[in-house]
Amino acid sequence: GIRDEHAVKLLSSLKSNGKLLALNMSQNHLGSESVQAFSAAMKGNTTLTALDLSRNRIGDEDAAALLTELSPPPEAGGKKGKKGTKAFVHINLSHNAVGEKGAREAVRILEGGDPESLKVVLKGHKFGKDVSAKLKAGGLV
């Protein structure tokens, strides 16, 4: 599979890519470096709306930071991400090392805006009862 050092090179090209709508990077060895590179690349991308990062090595802090970066602020009404990028429609972070912090960020997004603006999938993780109940109610697990 692809490791961080290779993914960083690939992801840097997203900034200027205006045609790619979906990207499947599942079942690789992606971690913190890849998440940081992806966040940086998305600052200039307005077309990518679906990202599958399932079955990688993405930790709780990185998942929370990525979700924060990609989620639309409440005042945007779900139309644009925090950095002026188009908000994602779908991001799959299933079967990574996402913990309570990442799950709480997904719940915040779910509760704070248009449910059509961002769909986060977090299957294959164990969370506390409160967070799990909210994620299940929103169809995220």
Side-chain angles (χ1 to χ4, degrees), residues 22 24 29 31 37 40 42 45 53-54 67 80 91 94 98 107 111:
N24 184 339
H29 303 282
M42 288 314 300
N45 185 298
L53 291 172
S54 63
L67 290 173
K80 288 184 177 277
I91 183 167
S94 298
V98 179
V107 168
E111 292 177 338

Side-chain angles (χ1 to χ4, degrees), residues 55-107:
R55 299 187 187 276
N56 277 288
R57 296 178 179 171
I58 297 169
D60 195 31
E61 293 286 328
D62 291 321
L66 182 62
L67 290 173
T68 300
E69 180 72 31
L70 297 178
S71 68
E75 65 274 8
K79 301 297 184 226
K80 288 184 177 277
K82 288 188 175 187
K83 304 296 183 192
T85 60
K86 183 175 178 182
F88 268 66
V89 174
H90 186 271
I91 183 167
N92 188 344
L93 291 169
S94 298
H95 303 283
N96 277 288
V98 179
E100 289 289 320
K101 186 171 185 175
R104 288 188 189 282
E105 184 60 17
V107 168

Side-chain angles (χ1 to χ4, degrees), residues 128-141:
K129 288 182 181 181
D130 180 47
V131 171
S132 291
K134 289 178 181 178
L135 291 172
K136 284 181 184 174
L140 304 183
V141 292

Side-chain angles (χ1 to χ4, degrees), residues 7-8 11-12 14-15 20 23 25 31-45 48-53 66 69-70 88 91:
V8 168
L11 293 171
S12 68
L14 289 178
K15 199 170 202 173
L20 188 65
L23 180 61
M25 299 283 291
S32 187
E33 288 180 56
S34 296
V35 170
Q36 290 171 13
F38 182 76
S39 291
M42 288 314 300
K43 291 176 184 171
N45 185 298
L48 190 66
T49 59
L51 177 65
D52 187 347
L53 291 172
L66 182 62
E69 180 72 31
L70 297 178
F88 268 66
I91 183 167

